[in-house]
């Protein structure tokens, strides 16, 4: 699926240690596109974001084994409202019903965790989730918080209270991640708010590389 070259992420799990034994690999294409970073939202839509959802919709419809994860609702909603044809919308509804197009996080953005106000985090999540429920009748079940810098305990608490089943992170302190990798503690139950007890617990997976792309020692790609 070369049309996803900019947005493909590979999650690799290793089930054997022998050099000649096979590696089981899960390939997860997803739509991580920054909402306002180097370019404005309009510039990003024109340059690549709109084309991502158009080609994803068309390519998913060609093969039943294909899957895609859509993350940021800001770009998807703009595509849905201003670019998608009636044919695209019909295809998307069918893909969502089949579970082959899944919305995760479901907020307008993948929010920053360092300086963002809690009220703003709740507002942007509410807007995105409201659109998804009103349009498709679905609620996101998982997070995919791979790009915010740092990891605030507020975020997993918010996601747990929003009904998420699991939380995925990547950018944490390098020394901490290295220690977690060596001790095989990349997966854990995050309890970010003792006062909320069980309501705020969420299973958390930490990606085992210092990026969110192909592990450097596997020759899938040079990027």
């Amino acid at each position: 699926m070369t049309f996803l070259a900019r947005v493909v992420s590979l999650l690799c799990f290793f089930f054997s240690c022998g050099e000649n034994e096979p590696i089981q690999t899960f390939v997860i294409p997803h739509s991580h596109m920054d909402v306002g970073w180097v370019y404005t939202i309009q510039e990003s839509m024109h340059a690549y974001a709109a084309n991502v959802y158009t080609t994803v919709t068309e390519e998913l419809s060609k093969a039943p084994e294909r899957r895609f994860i859509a993350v940021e609702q800001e770009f998807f909603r703009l595509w849905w409202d201003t670019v998608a044809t009636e044919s695209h919308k019909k295809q998307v509804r069918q893909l969502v019903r089949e579970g082959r197009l899944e919305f995760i996080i479901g907020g307008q953005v993948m929010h920053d965790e360092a300086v963002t106000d809690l009220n703003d985090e709740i507002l942007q999540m509410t807007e995105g989730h409201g659109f998804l429920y009103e349009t498709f009748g679905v609620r996101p079940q998982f997070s995919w918080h791979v790009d915010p810098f740092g990891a605030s305990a507020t975020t997993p608490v918010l996601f747990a209270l929003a009904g998420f089943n699991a939380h995925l992170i990547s950018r944490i302190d390098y020394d901490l991640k290295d220690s977690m990798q060596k001790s095989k503690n990349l997966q854990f139950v995050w309890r970010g708010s003792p006062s909320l007890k069980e309501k705020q617990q969420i299973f958390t997976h930490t990606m085992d590389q210092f990026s969110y792309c192909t592990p450097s020692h596997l020759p899938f790609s040079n990027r």
Side-chain angles (χ1 to χ4, degrees):
M1 299 172 73
T2 57
F3 68 98
L4 292 175
R6 292 188 179 182
V7 293
V8 166
S9 177
L10 300 174
L11 259 180
C12 299
F13 298 91
F14 302 89
F15 294 95
S16 61
C17 298
E19 291 183 1
N20 298 320
E21 295 183 24
I23 295 174
Q24 185 171 358
T25 305
F26 299 89
V27 182
I28 307 177
H30 69 98
S31 71
H32 172 42
M33 297 177 284
D34 291 303
V35 180
W37 179 45
V38 176
Y39 307 106
T40 66
I41 293 174
Q42 291 73 23
E43 288 171 337
S44 297
M45 279 291 291
H46 178 73
Y48 58 85
N51 188 54
V52 166
Y53 287 116
T54 297
T55 54
V56 162
T57 300
E58 294 171 352
E59 294 299 317
L60 287 181
S61 299
K62 293 178 181 179
E65 70 276 8
R66 292 178 177 175
R67 305 285 189 274
F68 190 83
I69 289 172
V71 182
E72 298 85 3
Q73 288 304 302
E74 179 68 28
F75 287 129
F76 180 82
R77 289 177 68 178
L78 283 173
W79 175 81
W80 182 265
D81 291 337
T82 64
V83 178
T85 65
E86 288 305 313
S87 176
H88 287 140
K89 291 183 178 181
K90 182 178 179 180
Q91 288 175 306
V92 168
R93 293 183 189 280
Q94 181 64 29
L95 292 167
V96 173
R97 282 194 296 268
E98 295 174 357
R100 298 203 291 119
L101 175 60
E102 180 180 2
F103 299 99
I104 58 176
I105 296 181
Q108 293 295 94
V109 299
M110 187 184 299
H111 70 253
D112 178 62
E113 300 195 42
V115 297
T116 309
D117 185 81
L118 177 61
N119 290 334
D120 292 329
E121 294 177 10
I122 294 173
L123 176 61
Q124 66 93 18
M125 287 275 289
T126 301
E127 289 183 359
H129 283 215
F131 165 77
L132 290 175
Y133 190 74
E134 292 172 2
T135 307
F136 304 109
V138 298
R139 298 181 186 276
Q141 299 295 307
F142 303 95
S143 88
W144 186 268
H145 241 230
V146 297
D147 200 24
F149 292 84
S152 165
T154 301
T155 295
V157 170
L158 174 61
F159 288 167
L161 294 176
F164 288 9
N165 293 321
H167 180 45
L168 188 144
I169 61 176
S170 180
R171 292 186 184 274
I172 61 174
D173 179 79
Y174 292 101
D175 291 332
L176 175 60
K177 179 174 284 194
D178 185 58
S179 174
M180 292 169 69
Q181 289 182 172
K182 290 177 180 177
S183 61
K184 298 183 179 181
N185 287 319
L186 290 169
Q187 294 183 338
F188 57 95
V189 175
W190 197 332
R191 300 178 176 91
S193 175
S195 64
L196 291 174
K197 300 181 180 180
E198 290 82 4
K199 291 188 295 183
Q200 50 76 40
Q201 295 183 157
I202 189 167
F203 174 79
T204 303
H205 173 78
T206 311
M207 297 187 78
D208 64 350
Q209 295 291 305
F210 298 111
S211 178
Y212 39 81
C213 302
T214 313
S216 58
H217 56 281
L218 296 178
F220 285 109
S221 167
N222 290 326
R223 296 188 177 184

